[in-house]
Amino acid sequence: MTRLSRREFAIGAGAVGLASALGPTVRAATPAGKPDVIVLGAGISGLETAWQLEQQGLRVQVLEGRRRVGGRVHTWYDLPGYPEMGFNSMGDGYGRGLDLARRTKVPLLEVGSRFRQGKPQELYLDGQRITREQWRTHPLNPFPEAQRASMPWELVPMVVARANRLADYTTWQDPANRALDISVNQYLVERGFSQDAIRLANDVSPGYGINSQDLSTLMLEFTDGFVKQQMAAGPKSWAAQGGNQKLPEALAAMLKSEVLLGKEVVAVDNRADGVEVRCADGSVHRAAHVVCSLPFSALRNVRITPALTGAQARAVATLPYQPLSMVFLTASKPFWDADGNAPGMWTNGIAGTLLPQRFGQDPAEITGFVAQARGQLALNWDRLGHAEVMRRVVAEIEALRPAAKGKLRAHRLHSWSAEYFNGGDWAYFAPGQLTDFAAVMGAPAGRIHFCGEHTARGSRGFEGALESAERVVTEILSL
């Protein structure tokens, strides 16, 4: 059996795909009936794991609780511009993701230039439109003098980027960095920011977490390093033509065994001679090994026997997931042309951040808007209910932009926190969790193996999911 060196795994596999690095099929499949491996979850990490194992001759069965594949890659095909509720795009440095598109023959569209089109989003604070020129001296600006020119959404990433404490961002989980595992709140206070400044710059629309108290700064520093690496690889961003969900759909279609949908896993029995998986519909599935790609927020609903212990059990029980909700809207007329202001908005109100979507035949055409709520606002939306949120979002935009009155239609709301199989969007780490359990999160437990973006060490998002698949495939093939 071919084995990868650490360097081949990090470079060769990431650039050209693990199957290419491993070489041709090296094992014969087991007889029909019982798979070698059961993969739990048909998100991108689970599907990639299944495909890679099949290329090595193993018989694999994928079980998915939803009635669709893709996990957090979720496209609304029936709405203008195919709005994305999850994975949005990948940069030039996404070697694994670009390789997947080539393998599946899914055509890609360069969308980075579309994101940069038009006027930059504008600030609407406490019901007021405040231009960038006005913001520096505005009485509502709580930032220190050196940062008063920064808009609220720019400040935290800028501070982290300028003073990243990690010489190598991939070491973010190393025990040697234990002293750096502090809250974002503490990090910003130490740099002279008031609580009012921190609330505006972070808590209104947090990139990770609910507020600055529940997020480790190491998470932001790792992300900053990953983003810088992507920017160094090239300026372009890529999305699947016609919707990103086409990528997992095409990958699922390449599997030798059909993905079984509607198979909500409720129990996994980890035995000396194999693993037994029980589903809510009463079906039972057996294999030599199980790969669990479920987010820990969903794995909490699965009974594992014998139970996980120690730091790994704490990880499953407590790893937090990002509250994120989105409302998709369309405009019957371009109200942004009527009032002369930028179509995009960053607000501290119920509408959250309004992001224009440009995914039509004409790159300049705005095919719709996504009103995005993160952190506490997303949780507030969940309490209000879909219909009331959509009504209030439209009403607030119309109040802030009178030219929009009567021209907006809210079509649908998606909440990742309210989705049973996710319980939030991406995983993040609270202060202290990295040093407590990050090192053991992806460790095998008997015959159960773990993958998923939350177990990745060197990448984020779509690329992180694929990275985790490479690791778990190598782990199983090494047995």
Side-chain angles (χ1 to χ4, degrees), residues 159-407:
V159 171
V160 172
R162 289 180 178 176
N164 195 323
R165 300 168 299 171
L166 296 176
D168 176 357
Y169 75 93
T170 64
T171 65
W172 66 304
Q173 296 184 11
D174 289 3
N177 292 316
R178 178 183 297 270
L180 306 181
D181 191 7
I182 61 173
S183 74
V184 171
N185 190 279
Q186 180 181 340
Y187 176 86
L188 293 175
V189 166
E190 290 174 355
R191 283 153 182 79
F193 292 90
S194 68
Q195 292 301 319
D196 285 343
I198 294 170
R199 277 190 290 270
L200 180 61
N202 186 85
D203 299 358
V204 169
S205 184
Y208 296 92
I210 297 175
N211 56 55
S212 63
Q213 299 281 4
D214 79 336
L215 175 66
S216 171
T217 306
L218 280 171
M219 184 90 197
L220 295 185
E221 291 174 314
F222 164 65
T223 304
D224 171 68
F226 178 66
V227 170
K228 286 174 179 173
Q229 181 197 56
Q230 292 301 309
M231 293 174 65
K236 296 179 179 178
S237 294
W238 303 93
Q241 191 170 336
N244 284 325
Q245 199 167 327
K246 290 185 179 295
L247 287 165
E249 289 171 350
L251 184 55
M254 291 171 61
L255 297 179
K256 297 172 184 176
S257 178
E258 181 181 1
V259 175
L260 299 183
L261 302 177
K263 293 292 183 180
E264 177 192 344
V265 175
V266 296
V268 178
D269 292 337
N270 198 353
R271 302 173 177 176
D273 60 345
V275 185
E276 184 175 273
V277 176
R278 295 182 179 275
C279 296
D281 63 3
S283 61
V284 179
H285 308 265
R286 298 177 179 86
H289 296 273
V290 159
V291 172
C292 177
S293 73
L294 306 180
F296 284 177
S297 48
L299 188 56
R300 290 165 200 159
N301 301 319
V302 177
R303 179 183 58 79
I304 297 177
T305 306
L308 301 177
T309 61
Q312 191 170 40
R314 291 195 297 275
V316 173
T318 64
L319 184 70
Y321 280 76
Q322 182 66 33
L324 176 70
S325 297
M326 288 164 281
V327 169
F328 181 73
L329 309 98
T330 53
S332 58
K333 292 182 180 179
F335 60 85
W336 52 96
D337 288 342
D339 64 17
N341 300 332
M345 305 166 65
W346 190 98
T347 83
N348 65 340
I350 191 73
T353 302
L354 191 68
L355 305 169
Q357 309 286 289
R358 294 181 172 92
F359 295 110
Q361 292 295 319
D362 178 0
E365 176 194 2
I366 293 179
T367 52
F369 291 86
V370 168
Q372 188 180 89
R374 293 170 176 252
Q376 188 59 52
L377 180 59
L379 299 177
N380 293 345
W381 278 17
D382 287 344
R383 285 191 285 271
L384 287 170
H386 290 204
E388 181 63 13
V389 168
M390 291 191 289
R391 185 192 70 78
R392 291 195 189 189
V393 165
V394 170
E396 179 165 276
I397 297 170
E398 289 180 342
L400 297 172
R401 308 279 292 270
K405 192 167 182 62
K407 301 182 180 68

Side-chain angles (χ1 to χ4, degrees), residues 92-122:
D92 280 334
Y94 276 56
R96 300 172 178 91
L98 295 174
D99 175 64
L100 174 63
R102 287 190 290 269
R103 276 189 278 131
T104 57
K105 296 181 172 57
V106 173
L108 298 179
L109 179 70
E110 204 288 309
V111 295
S113 57
R114 299 185 183 220
F115 296 149
R116 295 186 289 271
Q117 281 208 15
K119 299 178 181 179
Q121 71 181 9
E122 293 181 324

Side-chain angles (χ1 to χ4, degrees), residues 1 25-30 34-38 49-61 255-257 288-289 291 472-473 476-479:
M1 180 178 65
T25 298
V26 294
R27 292 190 182 189
T30 55
K34 180 180 178 181
D36 296 296
V37 180
I38 294 172
T49 297
W51 187 84
Q52 298 284 7
L53 289 173
E54 284 189 345
Q55 298 312 295
Q56 298 304 307
L58 276 69
R59 182 179 174 86
V60 184
Q61 180 64 69
L255 297 179
K256 297 172 184 176
S257 178
H289 296 273
V291 172
V472 80
V473 167
I476 290 175
L477 295 178
S478 299
L479 297 173

